[in-house]
Amino acid sequence: RRLRSFFLSNKIAQRRARHWRLIGAMSPGLRGEVLMETNRRWMSKVNFLNQFMMEHSHFDTSPVFSEFVVAVSQQMEQAVYSQSEKFGEPHMLYILTRGLV
């Protein structure tokens, strides 16, 4: 069961990697729009980022706001861990898309 779960998660990770390649081929403006829309949900769950988004919500299309979201999104790295596997570093933000910590 653990092995099956890992490979299903890895399949999702591979799909995300293909999406990242497509996003990388987009123009900066279009990339900013796509990344803002795709990352809005998880960003709203991080207190600091949510506060930033609320303060700049009326500037959704402003270059500074868009560049910030793009910069944060591009620095994210994707990783897949199996159940019960230990991971993590201090002072690092992890976004869990599936499972328990």
Side-chain angles (χ1 to χ4, degrees), residues 9-21 78:
S9 295
N10 198 27
K11 183 178 176 181
I12 294 168
Q14 289 174 3
R15 184 180 311 138
R16 286 195 184 116
R18 286 192 304 271
H19 291 168
W20 273 111
R21 284 193 297 274
Q78 185 172 329

Side-chain angles (χ1 to χ4, degrees), residues 40 52-62 65:
R40 185 179 307 273
F52 182 83
M53 287 171 56
M54 296 306 248
E55 290 172 5
H56 295 88
S57 63
H58 56 288
F59 297 117
D60 260 1
T61 57
S62 80
F65 183 73

Side-chain angles (χ1 to χ4, degrees), residues 32-62 64-70 72-73 93 95:
E33 288 180 45
V34 169
L35 288 174
M36 268 205 298
E37 228 16 75
T38 57
N39 292 311
R40 185 179 307 273
R41 190 172 130 232
W42 73 260
M43 286 179 73
S44 67
K45 294 178 182 180
V46 178
N47 192 31
F48 164 75
L49 296 175
N50 187 43
Q51 192 172 3
F52 182 83
M53 287 171 56
M54 296 306 248
E55 290 172 5
H56 295 88
S57 63
H58 56 288
F59 297 117
D60 260 1
T61 57
S62 80
V64 173
F65 183 73
S66 180
E67 288 171 15
F68 172 77
V69 173
V70 171
V72 169
S73 299
L93 174 64
I95 300 163

